[in-house]
Amino acid sequence: MTGSGDGGTGRGDGGADGGRSPRSAPPATGATPWRPGPGPHARRAGGWAGRARTLAGAAPPGPFRPGFWRSPIRGPWLTAVLGLALLFGVTVLFVTGLLSYAAYNPGLGALNDKTPGKGLLGFYLFTWPTHPYWLYRLTQGVHVTLGVVIVPVLLAKLWSVVPKLFTWPPARSPAHALERLSLILLVGGVLFELATGVLNIQLDYIFPGSFYTLHFYGAWVFMAAFAAHVVLRLGRMWRAVRSRSLRSVLGTDTAHTEPEPADPYGLVAAAPAPATVSRRGALGLVGAGSLALLVMTAGQSIGGSLRRTALLAPHNRDPAPGPNGFQINKSAGAVGIRASDIGPAWRLQIRGTRQLSFTRAQLLAMDQHTAHLPIACVEGWSTDDQGWSGLRLRDLAALAGEPHATSVLVESVQRRGAFRRVLLAGNQIHDPLSLLALHVNGAPLSTDHGYPARVIVPANPGVNNTKWVRSLTFRT
Ligand SMILES: Nc1nc2c(c(=O)[nH]1)N[C@H]1C(S)=C(S)[C@@H](COP(=O)(O)O)O[C@H]1N2
Ligand SMILES: [Mo]
């Protein structure tokens, strides 16, 4: 409980704290302008230090004055604990996000390439597997749920360092200027990723097509700044986390909440006000916020009866009963499917070394296979396993004269919209659970679920399970 996060590093000597310790700082509303004593930077030779001193004297009023920020719980420990939580959370978000991009098989062709020009950033891409069949449901459920649940932690972390936003002078040295610039990328990047992610979930693909590009590039810019931040702060964070025991913090009420010792980083208030909340209370508030968000989102991915608690789920939490009673992303009406497109005149075209055309009745007369698979959307929601039945993609490939097909182009009767065509990979064609489904849960597909025929492939992102299929073109 004694050392500040800086204890024993040799950096925080008396000079660093000069004028910043609680006792020597003026009251926040003091009439005489507060001037910091000579800090370590002032001792450094060179014009920057001198200019910095002049600027410091001229700190504008308000948040730029050290006495402005008065919460006694702000300090290296709180910042570090929240930072540690973010370190884990952001890492998982990044990995699951990269997996989500790989799940589109963007390497297969320009049609799937949601971010043309990704260049080197696609270095890690691999063929997305079909096993386990719930893989995308898990990775994308985690990605979206965690992205929502992490928001209170992120806001608390930003709150804990907000005085640093108003550092005066704005830059003490070129290195300091560079560091602050990287913080703009860090904070801007994370807010950008959250904003684009949440808008995509809640507003139904608000940036059709370009969402992937924005979110993907944003992630790499953010992660570059994040990695730099971690490298620069890991040691400091670790020392601060260990500066007091979690158990003692959790055992301390508001009345006994004391500020941390003055720190050289400018997190601890120069003139702390009496505590109105303990650190325990603040962490509890953040935890409760995250828990509430967890309860309101996780059900959309976990399913079962938890679906009812998913108040933030954008897609029909409580769909109508019946075999077709599960989430619908885009209804037939929403994407302009005409009754004549999917009526008696509908034919399935199959192309390979042979060209074939089938009516729905002819397809139903062939051997039907069943697979129990979920729809798992990039938006994070997923259905429970549904019992699909229809024709195996690999049998259709053989019919087309391409028994060893390495890709299939799936085209919908849909005329416009981002998701009317997709390329699937060889492993997806040959998995015995990959179907062109005609029925679901024993009933013909409903119009909104893709009647007369739709693709359903294990572990495939929902968006690649094309509805209202018109043609399949197999290539080797
Ligand atoms: N032709 C076509 N197929 C489509 C879509 C679409 O807009 N058009 N939406 C996709 C998306 S984003 C998802 S998540 C799934 C949803 O399937 P469902 O509505 O049957 O649950 O269908 C996919 N198939
Ligand atoms: Mo989707």
Side-chain angles (χ1 to χ4, degrees):
M1 288 276 291
T2 45
S4 72
D6 190 55
T9 63
R11 246 184 297 154
D13 57 9
D17 290 341
R20 293 198 58 94
S21 85
R23 264 161 306 289
S24 61
T29 51
T32 36
W34 181 88
R35 280 160 199 279
H41 302 283
R43 283 200 307 276
R44 241 171 250 151
W48 269 86
R51 230 171 305 150
R53 216 173 9 221
T54 323
L55 276 170
F64 290 96
R65 299 283 165 87
F68 182 86
W69 302 99
R70 305 198 61 191
S71 171
I73 62 170
R74 246 193 218 104
W77 185 83
L78 191 66
T79 295
V81 165
L82 295 167
L84 189 61
L86 287 179
L87 176 57
F88 283 109
V90 165
T91 304
V92 173
L93 281 176
F94 188 53
V95 171
T96 50
L98 292 184
L99 289 179
S100 181
Y101 183 52
Y104 287 88
N105 280 331
L108 213 53
L111 206 65
N112 290 15
D113 189 350
K114 307 289 179 188
T115 65
K118 63 188 172 301
L120 290 177
L121 298 183
F123 72 92
Y124 74 94
L125 292 174
F126 55 95
T127 303
W128 186 248
T130 53
H131 294 287
Y133 73 87
W134 40 258
L135 183 62
Y136 192 73
R137 189 177 179 195
L138 177 73
T139 61
Q140 196 60 10
V142 167
H143 186 74
V144 171
T145 305
L146 187 57
V148 171
V149 164
I150 210 168
V151 169
V153 186
L154 181 77
L155 294 179
K157 172 73 160 62
L158 292 178
W159 173 86
S160 82
V161 296
V162 75
K164 308 269 288 174
L165 189 66
F166 299 96
T167 296
W168 197 266
R172 290 187 307 256
S173 65
H176 184 224
L178 210 65
E179 198 212 310
R180 297 203 72 202
L181 219 59
S182 82
L183 292 179
I184 292 178
L185 291 183
L186 186 75
V187 176
V190 76
L191 295 179
F192 179 83
E193 288 301 283
L194 281 177
T196 49
V198 168
L199 286 175
N200 192 54
I201 296 167
Q202 291 293 337
L203 299 184
D204 213 20
Y205 303 96
I206 185 173
F207 329 95
S210 62
F211 162 74
Y212 303 89
T213 314
L214 293 172
H215 204 65
F216 182 75
Y217 283 119
W220 279 102
V221 171
F222 166 64
M223 284 310 289
F226 185 77
H229 190 65
V230 170
V231 167
L232 290 173
R233 294 285 198 272
L234 197 64
R236 190 191 291 187
M237 181 192 78
W238 194 236
R239 283 192 299 276
V241 164
R242 292 170 32 130
S243 70
R244 44 186 66 203
S245 82
L246 186 64
R247 182 189 295 221
S248 80
V249 169
L250 295 184
T252 305
D253 61 10
T254 307
H256 294 91
T257 296
E258 296 284 337
E260 286 182 63
D263 69 322
Y265 321 120
L267 290 175
V268 177
T276 52
V277 64
S278 61
R279 290 183 182 81
R280 168 177 77 186
L283 289 179
L285 201 66
V286 172
S290 287
L291 192 68
L293 288 170
L294 180 70
V295 168
M296 288 190 284
T297 46
Q300 66 171 344
S301 325
I302 298 170
S305 51
L306 281 183
R307 208 174 286 289
R308 282 159 204 283
T309 68
L311 299 175
L312 293 180
H315 283 279
N316 11 20
R317 210 166 356 118
D318 206 1
N324 278 278
F326 55 95
Q327 283 71 6
I328 293 162
N329 193 329
K330 301 269 180 167
S331 66
V335 299
I337 303 290
R338 301 174 199 168
S340 57
D341 291 333
I342 55 173
W346 176 85
R347 296 287 180 278
L348 176 72
Q349 312 288 335
I350 294 183
R351 305 189 194 103
T353 54
R354 285 193 283 274
Q355 324 268 323
L356 303 161
S357 170
F358 299 96
T359 64
R360 191 173 140 99
Q362 288 171 321
L363 294 173
L364 283 171
M366 293 158 59
D367 246 1
Q368 304 290 300
H369 296 268
T370 298
H372 292 269
L373 300 171
I375 298 275
C377 181
V378 64
E379 298 170 358
W381 61 265
S382 49
T383 71
D384 298 321
D385 295 354
Q386 310 293 331
W388 308 92
S389 63
L391 307 163
R392 283 181 170 158
L393 291 186
R394 66 179 188 192
D395 295 343
L396 294 172
L399 272 180
E402 294 282 7
H404 307 292
T406 49
S407 76
V408 60
L409 168 66
V410 182
E411 291 175 286
S412 169
V413 301
Q414 189 182 332
R415 287 181 180 76
R416 54 193 160 72
F419 313 131
R420 67 184 194 283
R421 293 187 302 175
V422 74
L423 280 162
L424 298 176
N427 65 322
Q428 296 176 311
I429 297 170
H430 298 291
D431 191 295
L433 297 181
S434 297
L435 301 180
L436 181 73
L438 307 169
H439 282 87
V440 65
N441 301 322
L445 291 174
S446 69
T447 306
D448 286 336
H449 281 306
Y451 181 92
R454 80 167 304 162
V455 161
I456 182 87
V457 168
N460 207 18
V463 52
N464 286 2
N465 288 328
T466 308
K467 304 195 275 193
W468 314 291
V469 170
R470 177 191 59 185
S471 71
L472 299 170
T473 307
F474 294 94
R475 295 199 186 96
T476 304

